[in-house]
Amino acid sequence: MAEQNERNFQFRLRSSHRAPEYQTSNLVVEFLADSGLWEPQQLSITMTGFRLYLISLLLCQHFYLVANANERQIPLQQVDADFEVTTSSDWIVSSVVGDFRIRIEQLVPGESAQPSTDSIAFLEKRMKLCPISRNLPDSVIKNIHLSALA
C-alpha cells in the first residue's frame, strides 16, 4: 500500500535514430501534469530544479542506452520509455521505475530486426551505470527494464 503522502512523477520519452550514425535525431520528453494531461518538456532555467533533476535522471538512462547500443553496433531506430519516480512527502526519492522499449532497424531484408537476449541484457546492465542513478542512495528502489519492440 502506498504512503498517503507520496508524490509520483511520471514521464514518457520517445526518440528517433537515423542511419548511418544512429544518434538521437528527435527526442520528446513529456510530463504527466496534475491536470491529467501530458505536457512536452522544454528544459530551461525557469523549470523547477527538482523536475530538471528527474528529467536528467531519465535522460542519463537514455544516453547510456543509445551510447551502448552504438558501441555494440545495434542500429537503434526508436526508443520509447515510461518513467516514474516516487518520493516521500518531503521530496526524498524512494523509487525509480523505467520501462524502456527499443526498435532496431532491419538492415538485411528477411532477417529478424530483434536484438539478442544477450544484447538486451548488456544494454540494460549498462544503463544502470548512469552516474545520476548510481548517486542515488542504496535505499532507493531502482528498477530499469529494457525490451525490444516487435
Side-chain angles (χ1 to χ4, degrees):
M1 183 172 176
E3 273 185 46
Q4 187 173 6
N5 295 321
E6 282 184 343
R7 299 174 194 268
N8 292 300
F9 301 89
Q10 293 182 55
F11 297 88
R12 62 185 182 192
L13 174 146
R14 173 171 271 202
S15 64
S16 301
H17 308 266
R18 293 200 175 104
E21 295 88 18
Y22 296 102
Q23 295 298 319
T24 304
S25 57
N26 292 314
L27 175 68
V28 175
V29 174
E30 296 177 302
F31 173 72
L32 185 60
D34 291 338
S35 66
L37 299 174
W38 289 98
E39 297 177 351
Q41 299 297 285
Q42 299 297 324
L43 301 181
S44 73
I45 59 172
T46 59
M47 182 178 280
T48 65
F50 192 72
R51 190 174 304 173
L52 280 171
Y53 170 71
L54 297 180
I55 292 171
S56 69
L57 181 59
L58 169 59
L59 292 177
C60 188
Q61 300 295 319
H62 179 265
F63 175 82
Y64 268 60
L65 169 59
V66 173
N68 286 287
N70 284 334
E71 179 183 303
R72 278 277 171 112
Q73 298 180 337
I74 298 170
L76 284 181
Q77 187 177 57
Q78 178 180 321
V79 176
D80 291 324
D82 295 307
F83 199 73
E84 183 172 350
V85 177
T86 303
T87 73
S88 63
S89 60
D90 56 351
W91 303 87
I92 303 300
V93 175
S94 58
S95 73
V96 175
V97 177
D99 179 27
F100 289 78
R101 297 161 309 276
I102 60 173
R103 176 171 285 124
I104 65 171
E105 188 171 322
Q106 184 175 6
L107 298 177
V108 179
E111 266 190 27
S112 172
Q114 293 297 316
S116 71
T117 304
D118 288 343
S119 292
I120 292 285
F122 171 81
L123 292 173
E124 185 175 277
K125 181 178 178 182
R126 294 295 291 266
M127 288 171 68
K128 293 174 183 176
L129 296 177
C130 157
I132 298 172
S133 300
R134 290 180 55 199
N135 276 290
L136 290 169
D138 291 338
S139 61
V140 175
I141 299 165
K142 299 171 217 137
N143 186 2
I144 303 298
H145 178 71
L146 177 65
S147 60
L149 293 167

